Amino acid sequence: MVMHKTQSHRRYLASSRFVRVLGTKRAMEKIVNDFVINVATANGTGSQSSNLIILHSMFEMGVPVSGKNLFPSNISGLPTWFIIRASDRGYQAPGDGTNIQILMNKDTWIKDLEGLEPGTIVIYNEDVKMPVERDDCVLLGMPMTKMARKINPKLGRLIANMYYVGAVAHLLGVEEDAIEKAVKAQFKGKEKAVELNIQAISEGREYANENWDFDCQFIVESRDKDPDTFLIEGNEAIALGSIYGGISMLSWYPITPSSSLAESVINWLPELRSDGDGGSTCAVIQAEDELAAAGMVLGAGWAGGRGMTCTSGPGISLMSEFIGLFYFSEVPGVIWDVNRVGPSTGLPTRTQQGDLSMLYEASHGDTQHIVLIPGTVDECFEFGWRVFDFAERFQTMVFGFNDLDLGMNRWKTSGFTYPDSPMDRGKVVRSQEEMDSIPEYGRYRDVDGDGIAYRTLPGSGLDPILYRGTGHDEDGVYSEDPQVYHDAMARLKRKIDGAREHLPAPVIREEEKKDLGVIFYGSMENSIVEIDDMLEESGLSVSTCRVRALPLHSGVEDFVRRHDRTIVLEINRDGQLFGIIRKEFPAELIPKIHSVSYSDGMPPRARVYSDMILEVLEGL
Amino acid sequence: MLKLNVLELEKSEYTGGKSSLCPGCGHDQISNNIIQAAWENGIPPEKVAKMSGIGCSSKTPAYFLGKSHGFNTVHGRMPSVTTGANLVNKGLSFLAVSGDGDTASIGIGQFVHAIRRNLDMVYIVENNGVYGLTKGQYSATVEKGSKKKKGVANQQAPIDLCAMAINLGCSFVARSFSGSKKQLTALIRAAMSHRGMAFIDVISPCVTFANNDESYKSYNYVKANDEVLHILDYISHFSPIEEVEVPEGEYQEVSLFDGSTLRLETLAADHDYTDAVSALSAIHQSEKAERHVTGLLYYDDNVPTATDTLGLSETPLVELSEDLLRPSPDSLEKVNSGFRS
Ligand SMILES: Cc1ncc(C[n+]2csc(CCOP(=O)(O)OP(=O)(O)O)c2C)c(N)n1
Ligand code: SF4
Ligand SMILES: [Mg+2]
């Protein structure tokens, strides 16, 4: 998929950033739909609802917004930040700095305050009773807890958060209608809660209006909202995709940030996958650990079902031995990895692309796995169903690779598209006639020349074998013969190599002038437009290529060939995709490919990566 | 004339490949009993799924029921693979073998959870007290004081898999010995007639590493110390002919799921197979006396199986057509519009 960039996103650049708004008290330069709000709260205080209401109310107005939840590995008490970015240019990265800081948490108060740029607007809860010593900032206090206690003494702590929603709504000019819609969506069906929270937000708005003599330069302005759009987490999109992909067994063991994927499947099954007589057409089982979860997927795939599990890095480590068995015994299965920061327990609630090389070659011995890498929630849905077709077509375990940022934050879609092809159940022999039509059937005999042999299912009575992880010949019979082992491994290589051109091709946005190509993948999609703009500000002409699957499609190599220099951009320390490229691409291409890789647990900030790219280019 | 079973199949339809185990290995005797039991029960071979982990014992599915599909999985984690297969195809009869290393050490977690879910399967542990395949290290089921051919006597307390299974509420728990052909065949036949987890711990001497007289799982030791709970007769539902005449009142009958009966001619009058405490007491008393209690230890036909509790479609999931597996385009429109409102 090659797209000419000039048509695609240049118009963002053309739209002017500053709009003069006349008729206010003092005519001042207003900044429309272009700011970053940072909300500092403590985990478990209900602030997630308030933050989502801010996000959704702006979204209702058609303002392009994105939200990032930076939460701790804790149930209650530790600091949480929520970053909301509005950008008419569609930028979704967290942004360079903060324009409006909301302070609710006394534990991070001082540090949050110290880190602000002069001129930042600070909305703070006066009742926290912390010093606010930043004369160079705009300081706007409100007795949020006191006011909240007045409307409900018991829920005061929770409701206090709604007052900053009111404050923000006042400063930015968020419409009341939009707020109301967002509150209703947040507390679906809970009349009392809707009423209470709307009251708190209105009081916050009024207080700000009456007590703050400040004219905010940042404002929101309605845009034509496409009525089809909505926000959804990547994990839920994958869950829905898998349901439309005919998943018949989900095994899982809870781990952040993948749990919400499994829980979404569980939530949607009753509505979408009932057989009409009250029976479910998909089994869900909470496994005793990830070893068992992987084993169950293997068993389901072997028996002819569509098994899936989801986990994060630590779970993949435990599943490794089974992954080798999938590969070697050629059983279909699906494992989604929602990447968090490793190694070990690492930063369990932060994001990273640190598992890619592990997935590609998971398990011992020579292995190679298909990995699908969505970069948008639409692709989360699409790959969510397609992954089963790939698994059954290639008779192997296929990974879906997501990360916390795309998986657990909410992103825009215009609605999911129904699968455009029937389910591909792969080469399964289901009757004696079919069996008779295959010359010289053997479970592992490549009769079609594509490396994929035919299989039969237990219960069918057709050509049974004992599946095994030990060496086996083309008929599935135990063998330690050197030639037999070598040939089997060569065929497996051929089989997976053969998948390259069938897997999702890279998405390429290309310039006429082939100065610089940037190869990236996954959730970096949400920062790439801004990175690209920053690079072009320095006069470069930048094309981008988003990899969507491993093993790599030939389009990636062609992209490299067409460009003078290529950067492989990743959210990890060592440049894992770069490592794969360096190993697989022809030697003459390697000198013009460079790695830019950075990971600190934060969703990628455009400035960090664009600066690193410029630095690498300077050093060439 | 060759003898045929109820499906009019010869016994050879239930045999497998040639064994590569050490001549005399207890595991081979168990394989023979499995072949006998499956043939006598008239199980359709194509409906059986043979499952195993890794070990000498776990190799044996290659040596029986050659007409059945099977999976020789990874060390200790056969139960999870069986679970996945069972969830999508509850129409299969799962027949699993494992070793004491495979089950009581690396796989103990999966063993426990398979029981807890009452997975519908026959689970046979071929228990020799050692890791045969890695050349004779002690396993976790070896008794305190037992000594294998080489090395010192074991000093740690054993894990008794039957006691553990009973404590976990396993619906069918039995112990036997690879050398007790009649008892073992009857127990395997009964296990195949049961619905739910049927666990049989079969003492199976490793002739190469632990068949010396100081080994509590050696052939001679078990022969001399077998505390048989009852004489067993399996009466199948398709030929309910009483093969043995027993005076009324001196036997108990266990009705099995498929309509067959296991008749227990009571030797140990105080054992009550419906009572977990009685079963545990029998195990612990024989352990104290350094003996092996064998027979049907515990039975409960009132435990729901893994698939019973999940509210699944009546039809095995693998047989569902695409229109049931993939919701309609309309449903997706509804999902989308639900998010939009
Ligand atoms: C993950 C893993 N660790 C270790 C081994 C090596 N191994 C193979 S069989 C075995 C022990 C088997 O003992 P048991 O289950 O009692 O079977 P037996 O050979 O005694 O019948 C071990 C440790 C392995 N195959 N896989
Ligand atoms: S080593 Fe022991 S358990 Fe293994 S085959 Fe030989 S006798 Fe049997
Ligand atoms: Mg053993």
Side-chain angles (χ1 to χ4, degrees):
Chain A
M1 198 192 294
V2 180
M3 204 156 86
H4 273 280
K5 209 169 66 173
T6 35
Q7 298 147 18
S8 70
H9 84 289
R10 272 285 157 71
R11 60 195 152 85
Y12 287 126
L13 295 172
S15 81
S16 102
R17 183 169 176 174
F18 300 104
V19 180
R20 245 189 124 70
V21 178
L22 298 170
T24 50
K25 278 185 265 178
R26 279 170 290 133
M28 81 180 285
E29 206 111 59
K30 290 286 182 189
I31 300 173
V32 180
N33 296 351
D34 188 10
F35 52 82
V36 174
I37 306 175
N38 182 309
V39 188
T41 57
N43 207 24
T45 58
S47 56
Q48 177 75 348
S49 302
S50 315
N51 300 333
L52 290 175
I53 288 168
I54 299 179
L55 186 73
H56 278 260
S57 59
M58 292 191 208
F59 182 74
E60 277 305 323
M61 290 177 65
V63 178
V65 275
S66 62
K68 307 260 187 194
N69 189 13
L70 307 178
F71 59 103
S73 174
N74 153 272
I75 300 302
S76 176
L78 288 186
T80 301
W81 293 269
F82 197 88
I83 301 171
I84 295 169
R85 174 131 191 226
S87 164
D88 270 344
R89 279 164 297 176
Y91 293 168
Q92 315 198 65
D96 290 343
T98 298
N99 304 110
I100 301 176
Q101 175 69 49
I102 295 165
L103 296 179
M104 301 294 286
N105 184 5
K106 82 173 185 322
D107 294 341
T108 62
W109 193 281
I110 304 285
K111 228 180 139 192
D112 283 336
L113 203 56
E114 275 172 7
L116 298 175
E117 291 288 318
T120 307
I121 300 164
V122 182
I123 299 171
Y124 64 99
N125 184 359
E126 284 175 357
D127 299 326
V128 177
K129 303 258 184 288
M130 287 292 286
V132 206
E133 285 152 10
R134 279 296 298 261
D135 294 343
D136 56 342
C137 290
V138 180
L139 306 173
L140 305 170
M142 190 188 287
M144 302 187 194
T145 316
K146 270 200 202 100
M147 291 168 75
R149 290 234 168 86
K150 245 186 231 156
I151 50 174
N152 190 320
K154 265 207 280 184
L155 301 177
R157 202 164 107 99
L158 290 177
I159 296 173
N161 293 310
M162 290 298 155
Y163 286 82
Y164 69 69
V165 178
V168 165
H170 164 74
L171 291 183
L172 300 172
V174 181
E175 291 162 5
E176 261 170 60
D177 271 9
I179 292 274
E180 207 175 304
K181 260 187 125 170
V183 174
K184 280 188 179 147
Q186 184 65 31
F187 301 103
K188 232 176 203 149
K190 294 183 204 142
E191 280 312 316
K192 194 92 191 84
V194 170
E195 202 182 302
L196 207 61
N197 285 292
I198 288 185
Q199 187 189 342
I201 295 171
S202 306
E203 284 186 11
R205 200 195 271 273
E206 269 163 45
Y207 182 96
N209 188 32
E210 282 161 23
N211 297 280
W212 297 347
D213 180 24
F214 168 67
D215 183 19
C216 182
Q217 70 270 39
F218 301 102
I219 57 164
V220 291
E221 209 172 81
S222 283
R223 294 283 178 258
D224 282 340
K225 185 193 169 218
D226 177 350
D228 283 349
T229 55
F230 57 88
L231 299 176
I232 188 168
E233 292 178 9
N235 280 350
E236 186 161 20
I238 293 169
L240 281 165
S242 68
I243 286 175
Y244 282 83
I247 180 176
S248 58
M249 201 249 7
L250 170 73
S251 56
W252 68 296
Y253 189 79
I255 183 168
T256 304
S258 76
S259 298
S260 64
L261 201 172
E263 284 160 348
S264 290
V265 173
I266 295 167
N267 284 340
W268 280 106
L269 279 178
E271 181 181 329
L272 295 172
R273 290 288 299 277
S274 169
D275 65 0
D277 295 320
S280 176
T281 61
C282 173
V284 178
I285 191 153
Q286 190 181 317
E288 53 269 39
D289 52 35
E290 289 88 345
L291 286 80
M296 290 172 190
V297 176
L298 181 78
W302 171 67
R306 292 195 145 186
M308 175 177 119
T309 184
C310 53
T311 185
S312 193
I316 302 287
S317 298
L318 288 183
M319 292 174 183
S320 278
E321 190 185 8
F322 264 132
I323 291 165
L325 183 56
F326 270 104
Y327 178 77
F328 196 43
S329 65
E330 302 184 59
V331 172
V334 172
I335 300 177
W336 278 93
D337 176 13
V338 188
N339 205 150
R340 66 189 213 183
V341 174
S344 189
T345 307
L347 308 178
T349 59
R350 297 295 155 89
T351 198
Q352 187 175 63
Q353 298 178 325
D355 294 348
L356 190 76
S357 53
M358 166 171 73
L359 298 187
Y360 192 42
E361 294 184 356
S363 206
H364 47 283
D366 289 315
T367 61
Q368 186 186 19
H369 310 291
I370 296 172
V371 186
L372 301 187
I373 315 170
T376 65
V377 284
D378 291 313
E379 286 177 358
C380 283
F381 179 83
E382 185 192 334
F383 296 0
W385 61 266
R386 257 191 219 287
V387 66
F388 291 104
D389 292 349
F390 290 126
E392 289 196 320
R393 171 56 43 188
F394 295 100
Q395 296 182 7
T396 194
M397 195 280 314
V398 178
F399 283 114
F401 179 59
N402 192 17
D403 64 20
L404 184 143
D405 189 15
L406 181 57
M408 289 188 72
N409 288 315
R410 296 187 188 204
W411 308 97
K412 193 167 85 172
T413 171
S414 307
F416 301 124
T417 310
Y418 197 73
D420 57 7
S421 55
M423 286 172 23
D424 179 359
R425 306 305 308 256
K427 295 189 190 179
V428 181
V429 182
R430 294 185 195 268
S431 67
Q432 192 58 51
E433 297 85 81
E434 280 174 40
M435 179 58 84
D436 294 342
S437 71
I438 299 168
E440 238 202 306
Y441 174 86
R443 170 61 189 94
Y444 297 111
R445 187 161 293 120
D446 177 13
V447 292
D448 297 334
D450 57 2
I452 310 168
Y454 287 83
R455 64 181 184 132
T456 62
L457 301 179
S460 66
L462 298 165
D463 240 81
I465 62 152
L466 182 67
Y467 274 64
R468 55 188 348 139
T470 40
H472 41 259
D473 65 16
E474 293 184 318
D475 291 312
V477 176
Y478 180 69
S479 169
E480 291 182 8
D481 185 285
Q483 196 62 44
V484 166
Y485 170 78
H486 174 270
D487 291 351
M489 293 303 290
R491 179 178 61 78
L492 285 175
K493 178 98 188 140
R494 208 148 36 80
K495 178 177 90 165
I496 303 296
D497 265 340
R500 288 177 197 271
E501 304 306 299
H502 298 278
L503 299 174
V507 176
I508 293 171
R509 304 179 186 110
E510 193 148 309
E511 293 285 354
E512 300 277 321
K513 200 160 156 258
K514 315 270 186 265
D515 264 0
L516 177 69
V518 177
I519 296 173
F520 68 102
Y521 54 97
S523 66
M524 184 67 98
E525 168 71 3
N526 300 309
S527 303
I528 199 70
V529 176
E530 192 174 0
I531 293 172
D532 183 323
D533 288 350
M534 285 174 174
L535 292 174
E536 297 204 339
E537 270 167 30
S538 67
L540 282 163
S541 156
V542 184
S543 308
T544 62
C545 167
R546 179 160 61 86
V547 167
R548 300 196 298 168
L550 294 177
L552 292 165
H553 191 276
S554 58
V556 182
E557 194 181 310
D558 296 342
F559 177 84
V560 172
R561 285 187 193 284
R562 288 197 299 271
H563 289 82
D564 296 346
R565 292 164 296 179
T566 318
I567 295 284
V568 184
L569 191 63
E570 306 176 64
I571 313 168
N572 53 50
R573 186 189 67 183
D574 296 338
Q576 299 189 1
L577 179 63
F578 176 67
I580 292 169
I581 287 176
R582 201 166 42 177
K583 185 169 146 192
E584 295 189 358
F585 280 14
E588 80 264 16
L589 291 180
I590 306 304
K592 62 176 192 170
I593 310 175
H594 310 277
S595 172
V596 167
S597 208
Y598 179 83
S599 167
D600 59 4
M602 290 287 289
R605 284 151 295 167
R607 181 70 63 194
V608 173
Y609 291 87
S610 65
D611 283 353
M612 283 180 75
I613 291 173
L614 291 173
E615 207 175 300
V616 166
L617 294 178
E618 256 165 47
L620 294 181
Chain B
M1 258 279 287
L2 278 162
K3 265 172 76 178
L4 301 178
N5 70 2
V6 67
L7 297 179
E8 312 212 327
L9 295 175
E10 291 169 20
K11 195 166 149 188
S12 62
E13 297 287 319
Y14 292 84
T15 55
K18 191 175 163 296
S19 171
S20 65
L21 301 185
C22 307
C25 175
H27 301 350
D28 277 337
Q29 283 174 294
I30 300 173
S31 296
N32 291 335
N33 283 288
I34 290 173
I35 292 167
Q36 184 73 21
W39 176 63
E40 287 182 4
N41 273 24
I43 309 253
E46 72 276 10
K47 291 295 166 204
V48 176
K50 303 176 289 181
M51 311 301 289
S52 69
I54 296 291
C56 296
S57 36
S58 291
K59 286 182 172 195
T60 62
Y63 318 140
F64 58 77
L65 270 62
K67 296 264 156 72
S68 306
H69 270 83
F71 212 139
N72 176 200
T73 65
V74 291
H75 195 20
R77 278 150 285 162
M78 168 275 289
S80 63
V81 181
T82 309
T83 307
N86 175 249
L87 292 183
V88 299
N89 192 353
K90 57 188 177 183
L92 294 171
S93 300
F94 294 95
L95 171 62
V97 290
S98 172
D100 43 321
D102 202 58
T103 290
S105 287
I106 191 167
I108 198 159
Q110 299 213 343
F111 173 66
V112 164
H113 287 274
I115 293 175
R116 188 171 163 257
R117 296 184 182 110
N118 197 26
L119 198 63
D120 186 13
M121 68 186 291
V122 176
Y123 192 132
I124 296 170
V125 166
E126 307 188 343
N127 189 348
N128 51 17
V130 290
Y131 293 2
L133 194 58
T134 50
K135 297 193 181 285
Q137 302 82 0
Y138 281 126
S139 83
T141 65
V142 65
E143 298 79 358
K144 212 167 178 168
S146 178
K147 193 189 150 316
K148 59 189 167 80
K149 199 150 120 193
K150 287 189 183 151
V152 293
N154 165 60
Q155 293 307 315
Q156 291 177 55
I159 291 174
D160 188 301
L161 291 170
C162 287
M164 201 169 155
I166 292 166
N167 274 317
L168 291 161
C170 185
S171 49
F172 182 117
V173 183
R175 175 167 290 146
S176 190
F177 170 46
S178 59
S180 303
K181 186 166 190 274
K182 182 166 184 284
Q183 182 196 49
L184 180 55
T185 308
L187 283 171
I188 296 174
R189 294 187 69 185
M192 288 172 168
S193 295
H194 177 64
R195 186 167 180 274
M197 170 67 81
F199 174 65
I200 313 177
D201 179 29
V202 187
I203 304 163
S204 175
C206 169
V207 294
T208 304
F209 297 112
N211 203 28
N212 47 314
D213 290 352
E214 310 95 300
S215 162
Y216 291 16
K217 289 185 171 71
S218 64
Y219 193 82
N220 287 339
Y221 190 95
V222 183
K223 269 274 163 211
N225 293 286
D226 188 354
E227 208 159 280
V228 183
L229 280 173
H230 30 234
I231 292 168
L232 294 171
D233 282 302
Y234 176 94
I235 303 151
S236 71
H237 62 98
F238 48 80
S239 60
I241 310 139
E242 299 190 15
E243 290 166 16
V244 201
E245 289 292 328
V246 195
E248 188 109 27
E250 289 179 24
Y251 62 86
Q252 295 170 298
E253 286 195 337
V254 183
S255 308
L256 301 162
F257 179 78
D258 70 354
S260 303
T261 306
L262 188 64
R263 176 177 289 176
L264 321 179
E265 289 162 41
T266 315
L267 295 179
D270 57 345
H271 176 244
D272 176 1
Y273 65 83
T274 64
D275 177 17
V277 176
S278 167
L280 288 169
S281 155
I283 291 170
H284 290 304
Q285 276 172 20
S286 71
E287 189 194 329
K288 231 189 202 157
E290 300 184 341
R291 291 168 65 80
H292 300 287
V293 62
T294 61
L296 179 69
L297 288 159
Y298 182 70
Y299 179 71
D300 180 358
D301 61 0
N302 208 13
V303 189
T305 66
T307 48
D308 289 343
T309 52
L310 290 175
L312 298 182
S313 201
E314 289 291 323
T315 318
L317 303 181
V318 288
E319 288 168 25
L320 296 174
S321 56
E322 178 162 347
D323 59 312
L324 281 170
L325 290 173
R326 170 169 287 171
S328 69
D330 283 354
S331 72
L332 185 59
E333 260 329 292
K334 239 179 98 189
V335 170
N336 282 330
S337 58
F339 281 117
R340 284 170 188 139
S341 64

Short mmCIF file of all heavy atoms in Angstrom, two decimals, chain B residues 27 55-57 98-102 125-133 137-139 141 204 206, ligand 3:
data_model
loop_
_atom_site.label_atom_id
_atom_site.label_comp_id
_atom_site.label_asym_id
_atom_site.label_seq_id
_atom_site.Cartn_x
_atom_site.Cartn_y
_atom_site.Cartn_z
N HIS B 27 5.72 -50.40 32.13
CA HIS B 27 4.90 -49.57 31.24
C HIS B 27 4.32 -50.38 30.08
O HIS B 27 3.19 -50.14 29.65
CB HIS B 27 5.72 -48.41 30.66
CG HIS B 27 6.30 -47.47 31.69
ND1 HIS B 27 5.97 -47.51 33.02
CD2 HIS B 27 7.21 -46.46 31.56
CE1 HIS B 27 6.65 -46.55 33.67
NE2 HIS B 27 7.41 -45.90 32.80
N GLY B 55 8.50 -38.72 28.84
CA GLY B 55 9.09 -39.73 29.72
C GLY B 55 8.97 -41.07 29.01
O GLY B 55 8.33 -41.16 27.95
N CYS B 56 9.56 -42.12 29.60
CA CYS B 56 9.38 -43.46 29.02
C CYS B 56 7.89 -43.75 28.96
O CYS B 56 7.37 -44.24 27.96
CB CYS B 56 10.07 -44.51 29.88
SG CYS B 56 11.86 -44.32 29.97
N SER B 57 7.19 -43.47 30.05
CA SER B 57 5.76 -43.72 30.13
C SER B 57 5.00 -42.96 29.04
O SER B 57 4.10 -43.49 28.41
CB SER B 57 5.26 -43.31 31.51
OG SER B 57 5.96 -42.17 31.97
N SER B 98 0.90 -40.72 31.70
CA SER B 98 1.92 -39.81 32.18
C SER B 98 2.83 -40.59 33.11
O SER B 98 2.53 -41.74 33.45
CB SER B 98 1.24 -38.65 32.91
OG SER B 98 2.17 -37.81 33.55
N GLY B 99 3.93 -39.96 33.52
CA GLY B 99 4.82 -40.61 34.48
C GLY B 99 4.74 -39.90 35.81
O GLY B 99 4.09 -38.86 35.95
N ASP B 100 5.41 -40.46 36.80
CA ASP B 100 5.40 -39.83 38.12
C ASP B 100 6.23 -38.56 38.12
O ASP B 100 5.91 -37.61 38.85
CB ASP B 100 5.89 -40.81 39.19
CG ASP B 100 7.11 -41.61 38.74
OD1 ASP B 100 7.17 -42.00 37.57
OD2 ASP B 100 8.02 -41.82 39.56
N GLY B 101 7.28 -38.52 37.29
CA GLY B 101 8.02 -37.27 37.16
C GLY B 101 7.15 -36.25 36.44
O GLY B 101 7.00 -35.10 36.86
N ASP B 102 6.57 -36.69 35.36
CA ASP B 102 5.73 -35.84 34.52
C ASP B 102 4.57 -35.23 35.32
O ASP B 102 4.25 -34.06 35.16
CB ASP B 102 5.19 -36.73 33.38
CG ASP B 102 4.76 -35.94 32.16
OD1 ASP B 102 5.60 -35.22 31.60
OD2 ASP B 102 3.59 -36.07 31.77
N VAL B 125 -1.21 -42.64 35.56
CA VAL B 125 0.19 -42.36 35.86
C VAL B 125 0.91 -43.69 35.98
O VAL B 125 0.49 -44.57 36.74
CB VAL B 125 0.35 -41.54 37.15
CG1 VAL B 125 1.80 -41.55 37.63
CG2 VAL B 125 -0.10 -40.11 36.93
N GLU B 126 1.96 -43.85 35.21
CA GLU B 126 2.76 -45.07 35.26
C GLU B 126 3.92 -44.78 36.22
O GLU B 126 4.92 -44.19 35.85
CB GLU B 126 3.23 -45.44 33.84
CG GLU B 126 2.01 -45.52 32.89
CD GLU B 126 2.31 -46.07 31.50
OE1 GLU B 126 3.49 -46.12 31.09
OE2 GLU B 126 1.35 -46.47 30.81
N ASN B 127 3.71 -45.22 37.44
CA ASN B 127 4.49 -44.72 38.58
C ASN B 127 5.60 -45.68 38.97
O ASN B 127 5.36 -46.75 39.52
CB ASN B 127 3.49 -44.52 39.73
CG ASN B 127 4.10 -43.80 40.91
OD1 ASN B 127 5.31 -43.63 40.99
ND2 ASN B 127 3.24 -43.39 41.84
N ASN B 128 6.85 -45.27 38.68
CA ASN B 128 7.98 -46.14 39.02
C ASN B 128 8.90 -45.53 40.07
O ASN B 128 9.94 -46.10 40.41
CB ASN B 128 8.76 -46.53 37.75
CG ASN B 128 9.13 -45.30 36.93
OD1 ASN B 128 9.10 -44.19 37.43
ND2 ASN B 128 9.48 -45.51 35.67
N GLY B 129 8.58 -44.37 40.55
CA GLY B 129 9.40 -43.75 41.60
C GLY B 129 10.69 -43.12 41.09
O GLY B 129 11.45 -42.55 41.86
N VAL B 130 10.91 -43.22 39.80
CA VAL B 130 12.13 -42.61 39.21
C VAL B 130 11.80 -41.94 37.88
O VAL B 130 10.73 -42.14 37.32
CB VAL B 130 13.24 -43.66 38.95
CG1 VAL B 130 13.84 -44.16 40.24
CG2 VAL B 130 12.71 -44.82 38.09
N TYR B 131 12.75 -41.13 37.45
CA TYR B 131 12.70 -40.58 36.09
C TYR B 131 13.42 -41.59 35.20
O TYR B 131 14.64 -41.60 35.14
CB TYR B 131 13.47 -39.26 36.00
CG TYR B 131 12.90 -38.07 36.75
CD1 TYR B 131 11.75 -38.17 37.53
CD2 TYR B 131 13.53 -36.84 36.65
CE1 TYR B 131 11.26 -37.07 38.20
CE2 TYR B 131 13.04 -35.73 37.31
CZ TYR B 131 11.91 -35.84 38.09
OH TYR B 131 11.43 -34.76 38.75
N GLY B 132 12.64 -42.46 34.55
CA GLY B 132 13.29 -43.47 33.72
C GLY B 132 14.09 -42.86 32.58
O GLY B 132 15.28 -43.12 32.43
N LEU B 133 13.46 -42.01 31.84
CA LEU B 133 14.06 -41.52 30.59
C LEU B 133 15.34 -40.71 30.78
O LEU B 133 16.18 -40.64 29.90
CB LEU B 133 13.02 -40.72 29.79
CG LEU B 133 13.38 -40.42 28.33
CD1 LEU B 133 13.62 -41.70 27.54
CD2 LEU B 133 12.28 -39.62 27.66
N GLN B 137 16.90 -40.86 38.12
CA GLN B 137 16.86 -40.00 39.31
C GLN B 137 15.55 -40.26 40.07
O GLN B 137 14.55 -40.66 39.49
CB GLN B 137 16.91 -38.51 38.91
CG GLN B 137 18.13 -38.11 38.10
CD GLN B 137 18.00 -38.43 36.62
OE1 GLN B 137 17.00 -38.97 36.16
NE2 GLN B 137 19.05 -38.13 35.87
N TYR B 138 15.56 -40.01 41.39
CA TYR B 138 14.32 -40.18 42.16
C TYR B 138 13.25 -39.22 41.68
O TYR B 138 13.52 -38.08 41.33
CB TYR B 138 14.57 -39.91 43.65
CG TYR B 138 15.23 -41.06 44.38
CD1 TYR B 138 16.39 -40.86 45.11
CD2 TYR B 138 14.66 -42.33 44.35
CE1 TYR B 138 17.00 -41.90 45.79
CE2 TYR B 138 15.27 -43.39 45.02
CZ TYR B 138 16.43 -43.16 45.73
OH TYR B 138 17.03 -44.21 46.39
N SER B 139 12.02 -39.69 41.76
CA SER B 139 10.90 -38.79 41.50
C SER B 139 10.26 -38.43 42.83
O SER B 139 10.66 -38.92 43.88
CB SER B 139 9.86 -39.47 40.60
OG SER B 139 9.01 -40.29 41.39
N THR B 141 7.41 -39.25 43.97
CA THR B 141 6.49 -40.24 44.54
C THR B 141 7.22 -41.36 45.27
O THR B 141 6.60 -42.28 45.78
CB THR B 141 5.59 -40.89 43.45
OG1 THR B 141 6.43 -41.63 42.57
CG2 THR B 141 4.80 -39.83 42.68
N SER B 204 4.47 -49.20 38.49
CA SER B 204 4.99 -49.79 37.26
C SER B 204 6.51 -49.86 37.34
O SER B 204 7.20 -48.89 37.03
CB SER B 204 4.54 -48.90 36.08
OG SER B 204 5.11 -49.35 34.89
N CYS B 206 10.37 -49.89 37.16
CA CYS B 206 11.41 -49.57 36.17
C CYS B 206 12.47 -50.64 36.32
O CYS B 206 13.23 -50.64 37.29
CB CYS B 206 12.00 -48.19 36.44
SG CYS B 206 13.48 -47.84 35.48
MG MG C 3 8.82 -42.36 36.38
#
